[in-house]
Amino acid sequence: MSEQSFPPQQQEPPGITSAMDPLPDHGESSYVGHDRLAGRRALITGGDSGIGRAVAIAYAREGADVAFTYLPEEKEDADATQALVEEAGRKAVPIEADLRESATCDRVVAEATEALGGLDILVNNAGFQMARSEELADLTDENLDRTLKTNLYAMFWMSRAAARQFGPGSCIINNSSIQAFDPSTTLLDYASTKAAINNATINLAAQLGPKGIRVNAVAPGPIWTPLQPATQTEEKVQKFGQETPLGRAGQPAEVAPAFVFLASESDASYVSGTVLGVTGGKGVF
Ligand code: NAD
Ligand code: MG
């Protein structure tokens, strides 16, 4: 076993942080805020764990109040994220929600807006993938529904509902993936949603730009989160990230700063319609 290998481990989706070995780094002991998001109100889908938790910590330490969604199985992770946001002195609003229904997305935006007294930042971070067989015939309608509704429909539904609340200076940030550019055959349905998210990011930036709303995406490479042991084979998990030029998986803490930059009105005021790669060296074009 090389130094960069992960111990063999498997979980059922959606996966829980405490069952991971090693535990991911969400920036708990490292992220230092500089008031870049002072007084802003953010909603992060899937903010209980992984990249979403790292973004919640960073946003809170930058001065934002944070609402976030989680699934019922993820209550333990949601409690931990809530505590971390509150430790930063900010308001945390955990909202239990499965985003595969349009009406639920409307409810989540309404609850977040009410609890935070408005909304300025939407991070469409929730996502689902599952390693498939390489036989197209094995791809079921149920498989397709779960991936497309979670990753793509919810992105549209959440964005539509949030845009109704947004004023000038608000923004949407979508979580894309290296899979949009370099798709794995075992992630056929997932990779296609991520390419569609990139495309939609450009169109939404064009539609919402005249209202002063910026829309961008972050495309992470392999990042150590519960999604991986919950959806990839044990062999893939052990070698996770080794194929990147940097030779290792990234940590959620290494992705969060990209979400801070894109959310910041002072740093990214003229950045819209772009996809920012955080890939450990793989190209995003
Ligand atoms: P994660 O498991 O920590 O987060 C994903 C979250 O999605 C879960 O916590 C869950 O709350 C949410 N979710 C899943 N299905 C849902 C549903 N039906 N309704 C509501 N919420 C649902 O893993 P992560 O890796 O931090 O994933 C966050 C985002 O990052 C995803 O969009 C993923 O595609 C993207 N991403 C991850 C990687 C990686 O290597 N980890 C790479 C590229 C992109
Ligand atoms: Mg989770």
Side-chain angles (χ1 to χ4, degrees):
M1 192 158 102
S2 91
E3 239 176 44
Q4 304 291 353
S5 298
F6 290 99
Q9 57 198 292
Q10 294 276 265
Q11 293 194 46
E12 287 299 312
I16 279 291
T17 307
S18 59
M20 294 178 74
D21 177 18
L23 292 174
D25 176 6
H26 309 95
E28 291 90 338
S29 60
S30 57
Y31 193 90
V32 180
H34 293 95
D35 288 333
R36 287 186 186 91
L37 305 177
R40 306 204 62 198
R41 298 152 301 185
L43 169 57
I44 304 167
T45 62
D48 57 290
S49 58
I51 297 167
R53 181 188 291 181
V55 174
I57 293 171
Y59 280 14
R61 293 187 188 178
E62 294 290 355
D65 289 331
V66 179
F68 67 92
T69 72
Y70 65 98
L71 293 168
E73 306 95 298
E74 300 175 311
K75 177 79 169 71
E76 159 191 333
D77 272 341
D79 288 347
T81 296
Q82 177 178 5
L84 285 155
V85 169
E86 288 171 353
E87 274 164 33
R90 307 309 312 184
K91 187 167 190 179
V93 182
I95 302 173
E96 185 189 301
D98 185 323
L99 303 174
R100 286 176 288 174
E101 296 279 346
S102 161
T104 307
C105 294
D106 288 341
R107 168 179 68 85
V108 166
V109 170
E111 282 185 25
T113 305
E114 165 86 30
L116 300 178
L119 196 63
D120 316 292
I121 301 167
L122 170 66
V123 178
N124 286 311
N125 167 74
F128 176 74
Q129 67 173 26
M130 183 52 72
R132 312 278 185 213
S133 90
E134 298 196 25
E135 290 292 333
L136 179 58
D138 295 338
L139 187 67
T140 66
D141 291 355
E142 206 183 9
N143 293 158
L144 276 173
D145 255 2
R146 183 161 181 182
T147 310
L148 271 71
K149 290 212 165 128
T150 307
N151 299 5
L152 198 52
Y153 281 55
M155 186 276 298
F156 283 118
W157 289 330
M158 291 294 302
S159 300
R160 184 176 63 190
R164 289 189 193 114
Q165 306 294 339
F166 280 172
S170 301
C171 68
I172 297 173
I173 306 169
N174 295 322
N175 204 332
S176 175
S177 172
I178 185 68
Q179 287 292 323
F181 305 92
D182 185 14
S184 304
T185 45
T186 52
L187 294 175
L188 173 66
D189 47 330
Y190 172 84
S192 71
T193 65
K194 296 301 184 176
I197 286 169
N198 285 354
N199 199 303
T201 297
I202 295 166
N203 270 348
L204 289 173
Q207 282 197 0
L208 298 173
K211 297 177 179 157
I213 301 166
R214 298 178 299 105
V215 185
N216 291 289
V218 174
I223 309 300
W224 186 236
T225 70
L227 186 72
Q228 300 303 336
T231 66
Q232 296 282 11
T233 62
E234 200 156 69
E235 299 71 54
K236 273 263 171 72
V237 170
Q238 283 179 268
K239 293 184 181 156
F240 188 57
Q242 287 179 2
E243 77 292 357
T244 63
L246 291 183
R248 64 173 178 86
Q251 293 295 327
E254 297 180 285
V255 188
F259 284 87
V260 172
F261 166 69
L262 292 171
S264 164
E265 264 297 282
S266 47
D267 292 340
S269 54
Y270 201 58
V271 182
S272 193
T274 202
V275 181
L276 177 51
V278 184
T279 62
K282 291 212 167 178
V284 289
F285 46 81

mmCIF file of all heavy atoms in Angstrom, residues 14-17 46-50 53 69-71 73-74 77-78 125 225-227, ligand 2:
data_model
loop_
_atom_site.group_PDB
_atom_site.id
_atom_site.type_symbol
_atom_site.label_atom_id
_atom_site.label_comp_id
_atom_site.label_asym_id
_atom_site.label_seq_id
_atom_site.Cartn_x
_atom_site.Cartn_y
_atom_site.Cartn_z
ATOM 1 N N PRO A 14 -26.469 7.802 1.766
ATOM 2 C CA PRO A 14 -25.570 8.873 1.358
ATOM 3 C C PRO A 14 -24.207 8.863 2.047
ATOM 4 O O PRO A 14 -23.343 9.648 1.670
ATOM 5 C CB PRO A 14 -26.357 10.136 1.740
ATOM 6 C CG PRO A 14 -27.157 9.726 2.926
ATOM 7 C CD PRO A 14 -27.514 8.282 2.705
ATOM 8 N N GLY A 15 -23.975 8.014 3.014
ATOM 9 C CA GLY A 15 -22.674 7.987 3.687
ATOM 10 C C GLY A 15 -22.612 8.992 4.834
ATOM 11 O O GLY A 15 -23.306 10.000 4.837
ATOM 12 N N ILE A 16 -21.772 8.640 5.817
ATOM 13 C CA ILE A 16 -21.653 9.453 7.040
ATOM 14 C C ILE A 16 -20.172 9.732 7.298
ATOM 15 O O ILE A 16 -19.317 8.865 7.079
ATOM 16 C CB ILE A 16 -22.293 8.671 8.223
ATOM 17 C CG1 ILE A 16 -23.816 8.850 8.193
ATOM 18 C CG2 ILE A 16 -21.754 9.081 9.571
ATOM 19 C CD1 ILE A 16 -24.323 10.245 8.516
ATOM 20 N N THR A 17 -19.874 10.924 7.769
ATOM 21 C CA THR A 17 -18.479 11.337 7.947
ATOM 22 C C THR A 17 -17.750 10.487 8.985
ATOM 23 O O THR A 17 -16.599 10.078 8.774
ATOM 24 C CB THR A 17 -18.426 12.821 8.365
ATOM 25 O OG1 THR A 17 -19.184 13.572 7.412
ATOM 26 C CG2 THR A 17 -17.008 13.334 8.419
ATOM 27 N N GLY A 46 -27.034 20.066 0.645
ATOM 28 C CA GLY A 46 -26.079 19.013 1.033
ATOM 29 C C GLY A 46 -24.926 19.577 1.852
ATOM 30 O O GLY A 46 -23.784 19.144 1.703
ATOM 31 N N GLY A 47 -25.225 20.503 2.755
ATOM 32 C CA GLY A 47 -24.169 21.157 3.534
ATOM 33 C C GLY A 47 -23.759 20.396 4.784
ATOM 34 O O GLY A 47 -22.927 20.852 5.558
ATOM 35 N N ASP A 48 -24.325 19.216 4.983
ATOM 36 C CA ASP A 48 -24.007 18.440 6.184
ATOM 37 C C ASP A 48 -22.590 17.892 6.183
ATOM 38 O O ASP A 48 -21.972 17.750 7.232
ATOM 39 C CB ASP A 48 -25.000 17.267 6.322
ATOM 40 C CG ASP A 48 -24.971 16.391 5.076
ATOM 41 O OD1 ASP A 48 -25.440 16.852 4.018
ATOM 42 O OD2 ASP A 48 -24.443 15.268 5.158
ATOM 43 N N SER A 49 -22.096 17.541 4.993
ATOM 44 C CA SER A 49 -20.823 16.801 4.930
ATOM 45 C C SER A 49 -19.997 17.234 3.727
ATOM 46 O O SER A 49 -20.454 18.023 2.891
ATOM 47 C CB SER A 49 -21.109 15.292 4.825
ATOM 48 O OG SER A 49 -21.895 15.028 3.676
ATOM 49 N N GLY A 50 -18.778 16.723 3.660
ATOM 50 C CA GLY A 50 -17.943 16.884 2.477
ATOM 51 C C GLY A 50 -17.695 18.336 2.099
ATOM 52 O O GLY A 50 -17.470 19.197 2.952
ATOM 53 N N ARG A 53 -19.967 20.943 3.764
ATOM 54 C CA ARG A 53 -19.610 21.325 5.137
ATOM 55 C C ARG A 53 -18.424 22.297 5.129
ATOM 56 O O ARG A 53 -18.411 23.279 5.884
ATOM 57 C CB ARG A 53 -19.276 20.106 6.000
ATOM 58 C CG ARG A 53 -18.934 20.541 7.428
ATOM 59 C CD ARG A 53 -18.404 19.416 8.293
ATOM 60 N NE ARG A 53 -19.426 18.435 8.605
ATOM 61 C CZ ARG A 53 -19.228 17.358 9.368
ATOM 62 N NH1 ARG A 53 -18.018 17.136 9.880
ATOM 63 N NH2 ARG A 53 -20.196 16.498 9.601
ATOM 64 N N THR A 69 -29.167 22.148 3.597
ATOM 65 C CA THR A 69 -30.043 20.979 3.602
ATOM 66 C C THR A 69 -29.247 19.713 3.884
ATOM 67 O O THR A 69 -28.037 19.651 3.679
ATOM 68 C CB THR A 69 -30.778 20.788 2.256
ATOM 69 O OG1 THR A 69 -29.836 20.347 1.265
ATOM 70 C CG2 THR A 69 -31.451 22.071 1.790
ATOM 71 N N TYR A 70 -29.997 18.714 4.373
ATOM 72 C CA TYR A 70 -29.415 17.396 4.624
ATOM 73 C C TYR A 70 -30.532 16.367 4.501
ATOM 74 O O TYR A 70 -31.722 16.706 4.573
ATOM 75 C CB TYR A 70 -28.775 17.347 6.024
ATOM 76 C CG TYR A 70 -29.764 17.505 7.151
ATOM 77 C CD1 TYR A 70 -30.268 16.386 7.826
ATOM 78 C CD2 TYR A 70 -30.231 18.763 7.531
ATOM 79 C CE1 TYR A 70 -31.206 16.526 8.849
ATOM 80 C CE2 TYR A 70 -31.167 18.915 8.540
ATOM 81 C CZ TYR A 70 -31.644 17.792 9.199
ATOM 82 O OH TYR A 70 -32.584 17.935 10.201
ATOM 83 N N LEU A 71 -30.138 15.110 4.319
ATOM 84 C CA LEU A 71 -31.114 14.010 4.245
ATOM 85 C C LEU A 71 -31.339 13.454 5.651
ATOM 86 O O LEU A 71 -30.463 13.579 6.514
ATOM 87 C CB LEU A 71 -30.587 12.907 3.321
ATOM 88 C CG LEU A 71 -30.484 13.297 1.844
ATOM 89 C CD1 LEU A 71 -29.676 12.253 1.058
ATOM 90 C CD2 LEU A 71 -31.874 13.466 1.241
ATOM 91 N N GLU A 73 -31.066 10.578 6.964
ATOM 92 C CA GLU A 73 -29.993 9.684 7.437
ATOM 93 C C GLU A 73 -28.752 10.446 7.875
ATOM 94 O O GLU A 73 -27.827 9.854 8.440
ATOM 95 C CB GLU A 73 -29.565 8.713 6.314
ATOM 96 C CG GLU A 73 -30.670 7.916 5.682
ATOM 97 C CD GLU A 73 -31.198 8.581 4.414
ATOM 98 O OE1 GLU A 73 -31.729 9.719 4.499
ATOM 99 O OE2 GLU A 73 -31.101 7.960 3.343
ATOM 100 N N GLU A 74 -28.700 11.748 7.539
ATOM 101 C CA GLU A 74 -27.477 12.525 7.772
ATOM 102 C C GLU A 74 -27.582 13.467 8.971
ATOM 103 O O GLU A 74 -26.789 14.401 9.090
ATOM 104 C CB GLU A 74 -27.143 13.351 6.520
ATOM 105 C CG GLU A 74 -26.921 12.494 5.292
ATOM 106 C CD GLU A 74 -26.715 13.314 4.034
ATOM 107 O OE1 GLU A 74 -27.519 14.225 3.775
ATOM 108 O OE2 GLU A 74 -25.762 13.027 3.292
ATOM 109 N N ASP A 77 -24.395 14.273 10.834
ATOM 110 C CA ASP A 77 -23.513 15.205 10.113
ATOM 111 C C ASP A 77 -24.083 16.627 10.129
ATOM 112 O O ASP A 77 -23.340 17.603 10.254
ATOM 113 C CB ASP A 77 -23.308 14.734 8.669
ATOM 114 C CG ASP A 77 -22.135 13.761 8.551
ATOM 115 O OD1 ASP A 77 -21.296 13.739 9.471
ATOM 116 O OD2 ASP A 77 -22.059 13.037 7.542
ATOM 117 N N ALA A 78 -25.397 16.733 9.996
ATOM 118 C CA ALA A 78 -26.026 18.063 10.010
ATOM 119 C C ALA A 78 -25.786 18.749 11.354
ATOM 120 O O ALA A 78 -25.489 19.948 11.412
ATOM 121 C CB ALA A 78 -27.523 17.939 9.724
ATOM 122 N N ASN A 125 -25.033 22.298 -4.229
ATOM 123 C CA ASN A 125 -23.930 21.376 -3.954
ATOM 124 C C ASN A 125 -24.384 19.922 -3.855
ATOM 125 O O ASN A 125 -23.605 19.017 -4.136
ATOM 126 C CB ASN A 125 -23.251 21.816 -2.646
ATOM 127 C CG ASN A 125 -22.311 20.766 -2.101
ATOM 128 O OD1 ASN A 125 -21.230 20.563 -2.636
ATOM 129 N ND2 ASN A 125 -22.736 20.072 -1.038
ATOM 130 N N THR A 225 -14.624 12.633 0.489
ATOM 131 C CA THR A 225 -15.918 12.909 1.129
ATOM 132 C C THR A 225 -16.697 11.596 1.261
ATOM 133 O O THR A 225 -16.355 10.607 0.601
ATOM 134 C CB THR A 225 -16.773 13.880 0.277
ATOM 135 O OG1 THR A 225 -17.205 13.174 -0.906
ATOM 136 C CG2 THR A 225 -15.993 15.123 -0.140
ATOM 137 N N PRO A 226 -17.795 11.573 2.040
ATOM 138 C CA PRO A 226 -18.575 10.331 2.197
ATOM 139 C C PRO A 226 -19.116 9.774 0.878
ATOM 140 O O PRO A 226 -19.366 8.575 0.754
ATOM 141 C CB PRO A 226 -19.734 10.762 3.113
ATOM 142 C CG PRO A 226 -19.254 11.964 3.833
ATOM 143 C CD PRO A 226 -18.298 12.666 2.911
ATOM 144 N N LEU A 227 -19.315 10.668 -0.100
ATOM 145 C CA LEU A 227 -19.815 10.227 -1.413
ATOM 146 C C LEU A 227 -18.965 9.092 -1.980
ATOM 147 O O LEU A 227 -19.490 8.177 -2.627
ATOM 148 C CB LEU A 227 -19.801 11.430 -2.371
ATOM 149 C CG LEU A 227 -20.400 11.245 -3.756
ATOM 150 C CD1 LEU A 227 -21.922 11.145 -3.662
ATOM 151 C CD2 LEU A 227 -20.033 12.433 -4.661
HETATM 152 MG MG MG B 2 -23.777 13.970 3.684
#
